[in-house]
Every structure is written in C-alpha cells, then in structure tokens.
C-alpha cells in the first residue's frame, strides 16, 4: 500500500523481516517434511502476531484490519503454512472470543492465545457438510446446566496442536441455521479425540485433522454468544477470516512472482536473458496488475471492516479475486521457470500447490459468488425500495 501510518509501517516491517529471516529459508523443508513450525510460531507470538486484532484492553496488539492483512500477506510470502496457522488463531478464534465472549471467557482464553501459550482452531466443517455449513450433524444437548456434545469436525486447521476449538453445533436441529450455537471447547476435555493429520496437496506444515466428540461434557461457561446465534457468529467470523485468506493468497502470489522475476534475470534462451522476451514480460505485466488489483480489494474490505457494520460483500470479493488470482499467478510463475518450475529444486511448484487451497477453505469460490450475488441483489432491492 502506498500510504501507511507509522504503526502500520512498523508492523509490516517486522513481518517482512520475520518472513525473510525466519520463514523463507525454512519453508521448503517445513513443507517437504510436513513439519509444524513450532519455533516460528513462538517468535511470532513474541511479536504480538498471534492476537493482532484483539483490543489492547484484552491483551492483544489492537491492530486495525489493514495492518492485520498486511502482516498476513508478508508472512505468506515466506511460508504459506505459517501464515494460515496465524490467520486461523487470529481471525477464527481470538476475534470471535473478543467480539462475542463474556468477560470471563475473554480473561480465560485471550491472554494465553495471544501470548502463544495456547493455540486455537475453528470447528464448522463436517465430513458431510462443507459449503452447506448450516446442515451439521454435530449436536449439543442440554445436560443439567451444561451441554453434552457428540459429532465430528474435519479439515480442522491447527486441530492436531490446538488447545481450544470454537465449535459450531446444532442445539435445535429442526431450526436449521437458527438452531446452531457456538461453544468454546477445551480440547483436553474427556471424549475428544483427534485423527492423525491430513495428507494434502499443499500447505503441508499447516497440520489439519478430524476432531471427534463422544458425549463431551461442557459447563454452561462454554457457550459463546447466545444460544441459537452460532451460525451468525460463524458467518461474521468467516467475513474476517476471508480477508486473512485473501491476504495469504496475495503473499503466495507475490512470492511466486518474485522468484520467477529473479529467475528471468539469470536464465538465457535464444541468445538473451528471458526477462528481455516479450512473452515473459507480458506474463509479468499480467501478474503485477492482478496482484495490485487484489491488494486494492483487500484494502477496501479492511476499510469496510474498520468502518463497522457488515463487510460480507467486500470480504467475499477480496477472497474470490485474490485466491483465483493466486492460482493464475502461480501458474504463470511456474511457466516462467519451464522444466525447473516443475522440480522441487525451485519454489515455484510449492507456491502453485499452496495457492490452490485459498480457493477452497473459508468458503469456496462458488460460495463466494453466492454470497456476493446475494449481497448485490439485497443492495439493489434496498435501492429500488428507497
Ligand atoms: N454475518 C452475519 N450474519 C449472517 C452472515 C454474515 N456474514 N451471513 C449470513 N448471516 C445470517 C443471515 O442473515 C441469516 O439470518 P436470518 O435467519 O436472521 O435472516 C442466517 O445467517 C442464515 O443465513 P443464510 O440463509 O444465508 O444461510 P445458508 O444456510 O443459506 O448459508 C452460506 C449461507 C453463505 C452458503 C454459508 O453456509 C457459507 O458461508 N458456507 C461456506 C462455509 C465456509 O466458509 N466454511 C469454511 C470452513 S472454516 C475453514 O475453512 C477454516 C480453516 O480450516 C482454514
């Protein structure tokens, strides 16, 4: 971004330095061995990056939404896996606790989540419901003053290492979305089990797994927000999360661009460096333009969030464009490398694999189009009515 406040520039500078010194040098190894970036996460917690948007009064860094997006983008240029681990802890865990939690819930969970002593995950997706998120089988029934939870959540990013889950469960199944409630579930509770971590196309260091609940007993203090408000909490939480994923997609695409650009200054073909070939220059022109467009959409979504009120459309547009842009940019970047792009010797193939998930998690591109169309129709109806 062209004009940043001193605070924004400071946070971005720290994130860029961390990505260059602590993430980029190890990203290929973390990915190849599917190693959880434990030491890197500890370093990020020291910088305050595990609780960026949590208000300072609740122990967080109190960053505005643009600073948050800039930091996630910078981290993703170094390691896409680390960036999503951080994004989930921030947007999908700390943020709903800060926004919907009671003073006791905030006191209990936010300091350790922000300081990196605890890690969070978000449990919405189930084996038989991903996009159709309201139709979940996981059920929480009243048990005395508390709750008894049974069911299974899958593709849970951070799941193998998390201490707490923001869990969405049906409390009145017949009511659909209106019968869903949110809970804060300590994953040390009896009856919680986790499968081994998932094998995936990319983001190998960002472990995910299925987490199952077998008659897990929760006290009344586990309910996050009001009973029956869980679906709205999940959707509002995902609005924020989608800005983070859009930023992650931009970071991956920028890293792919940078690597291909550098390679084009070394590689000779037909008697000159490939950077001087118009075919390659046109690819860079398209990549640079799309990257800028995605950044502007993310900045606009962050500004809409900072103004208050709903920013559903802006977040969905940013995620849709940035994630599909990342797929196109990483595809072209790999093409610049030619055969070497297909080899694990260079980072192009990792960027290409890592970019793909950004079109799927926290809402697929198809769901983003549904959400945007819904908002466009609603705005048109409101304009016609006025
Ligand atoms: N903010 C607040 N409220 C919202 C909202 C939002 N963004 N979106 C919807 N709502 C409200 C609606 O206003 C409605 O309320 P009323 O009943 O009072 O009118 C209620 O929620 C139900 O909304 P819909 O009727 O639109 O619900 P739907 O069942 O048709 O579903 C959907 C809508 C957009 C398809 C939704 O199911 C969805 O977003 N699906 C995708 C799920 C998703 O993103 N999953 C990602 C999993 S998390 C993950 O990937 C994390 C990770 O590991 C990295």
């Amino acid at each position: 971004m062209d004009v940043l406040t001193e605070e924004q520039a400071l946070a971005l500078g720290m994130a860029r330095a961390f990505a260059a010194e602590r993430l980029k040098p190890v990203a290929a190894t973390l990915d190849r061995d599917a190693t959880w970036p434990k030491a890197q996460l500890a370093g990020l917690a020291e910088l305050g990056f595990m609780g960026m948007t949590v208000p300072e009064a609740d122990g967080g860094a109190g960053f505005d939404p643009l600073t948050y997006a800039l930091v996630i983008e910078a981290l993703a240029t170094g390691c896409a896996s680390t960036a999503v681990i951080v994004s989930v802890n921030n947007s999908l865990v700390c943020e709903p606790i800060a926004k919907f939690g009671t003073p006791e819930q905030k006191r209990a969970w936010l300091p350790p989540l922000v300081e990196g002593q605890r890690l969070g995950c978000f449990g919405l997706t189930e084996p038989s419901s991903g996009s159709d998120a309201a139709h979940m089988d996981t059920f929480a029934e009243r048990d005395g003053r508390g709750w008894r939870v049974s069911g299974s959540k899958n593709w849970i990013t951070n799941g193998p290492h998390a201490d707490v889950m923001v869990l969405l469960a049906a409390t009145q199944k017949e009511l659909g979305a209106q019968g869903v409630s949110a809970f804060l579930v300590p994953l040390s509770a009896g009856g919680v089990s986790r499968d081994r971590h998932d094998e995936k196309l990319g983001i190998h260091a960002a472990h995910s797994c299925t987490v199952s609940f077998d008659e897990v007993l929760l006290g009344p203090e586990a309910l996050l927000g009001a009973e029956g408000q869980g679906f709205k909490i999940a959707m509002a939480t995902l609005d924020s999360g989608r800005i983070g994923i859009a930023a992650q997609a931009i970071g991956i695409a920028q890293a792919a661009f940078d690597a291909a650009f550098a390679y084009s200054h070394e590689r000779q073909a037909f008697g000159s460096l490939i950077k001087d070939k118009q075919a390659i220059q046109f690819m860079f022109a398209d990549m640079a333009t799309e990257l800028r467009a995605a950044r502007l959409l993310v900045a606009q979504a962050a500004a809409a969030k900072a103004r208050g009120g709903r920013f559903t459309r802006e977040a969905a547009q940013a995620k849709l464009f940035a994630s599909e842009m990342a797929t196109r940019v990483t595809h072209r970047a790999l093409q610049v490398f030619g055969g070497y792009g297909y080899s694990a010797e260079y980072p192009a193939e990792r960027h290409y694999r890592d970019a793909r998930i950004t079109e799927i998690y926290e809402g697929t591109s198809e769901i983003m189009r549904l959400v945007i169309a819904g908002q466009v129709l609603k705005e048109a109806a409101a304009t016609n009515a006025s």
Side-chain angles (χ1 to χ4, degrees), residues 125 131 157 178 232 235 238-239 242 310 312 361-363:
T125 303
S131 289
T157 304
Q178 282 77 24
K232 287 184 186 176
M235 292 298 111
L238 282 167
D239 285 344
R242 287 166 185 165
R310 283 274 291 264
T312 301
Y361 58 23
E362 302 204 23

